[in-house]
Amino acid sequence: MAGYQDLSEFERGVIVGAREMGHSIAKVEMKFGFSRTTISRVYREYRESGKTPNLRHRCGRKKIIQERDQRRLTRIIKRGRRATLLQIAADFNARSSTSVSVRTIQ
């Protein structure tokens, strides 16, 4: 079981999402295996600040896309809600400093 500081952004999002949907701490604990303390800390932090920062600063891996590209990708997705993944990737790669590729699973 991961400790409070070792949680990824996704795991923190799972906790916040489950609590926002109205699930109790006990249900989140049973379903996902996080401790009650971890769940309450993450959710309290989210309620107080509106975000769930990861405390594992600089774990050694560089970011795949920079903040500027992240903001651009968000705008592309909001602009074309019904766009396919291939269309989004093509639009992103048209003007980005970082190129992304899409793998299809069949």
Side-chain angles (χ1 to χ4, degrees):
M1 176 172 26
Y4 172 70
Q5 294 181 347
D6 296 329
L7 293 177
S8 68
E9 288 297 320
F10 178 77
E11 290 168 327
R12 289 169 181 271
V14 166
I15 291 171
V16 170
R19 292 290 288 142
E20 286 289 307
M21 290 174 50
H23 296 291
S24 67
I25 291 176
K27 282 189 179 180
V28 176
E29 177 188 25
M30 285 188 316
K31 184 74 174 176
F32 301 110
F34 302 119
S35 71
R36 290 174 185 248
T37 305
T38 298
I39 294 166
S40 60
R41 281 181 183 173
V42 168
Y43 191 62
R44 184 188 67 228
E45 185 177 298
Y46 171 75
R47 279 193 334 250
E48 289 173 358
S49 69
K51 42 187 158 171
T52 60
N54 193 343
L55 298 178
R56 291 178 62 193
H57 303 292
R58 295 291 185 198
C59 64
R61 180 175 181 178
K62 293 187 177 183
K63 291 185 178 183
I64 295 172
I65 60 175
Q66 301 302 317
E67 287 183 40
R68 182 177 182 173
D69 290 332
Q70 179 68 40
R71 291 191 305 267
R72 190 166 168 278
L73 182 59
T74 303
R75 283 194 305 270
I76 290 169
I77 292 170
K78 285 183 179 179
R79 187 175 54 224
R81 286 285 185 183
R82 299 209 183 264
T84 66
L85 188 56
L86 292 173
Q87 291 169 336
I88 292 170
D91 194 13
F92 182 79
N93 289 336
R95 295 187 192 107
S96 177
S97 60
T98 307
S99 118
V100 295
S101 61
V102 178
R103 238 182 11 177
T104 58
I105 301 173
Q106 297 175 0

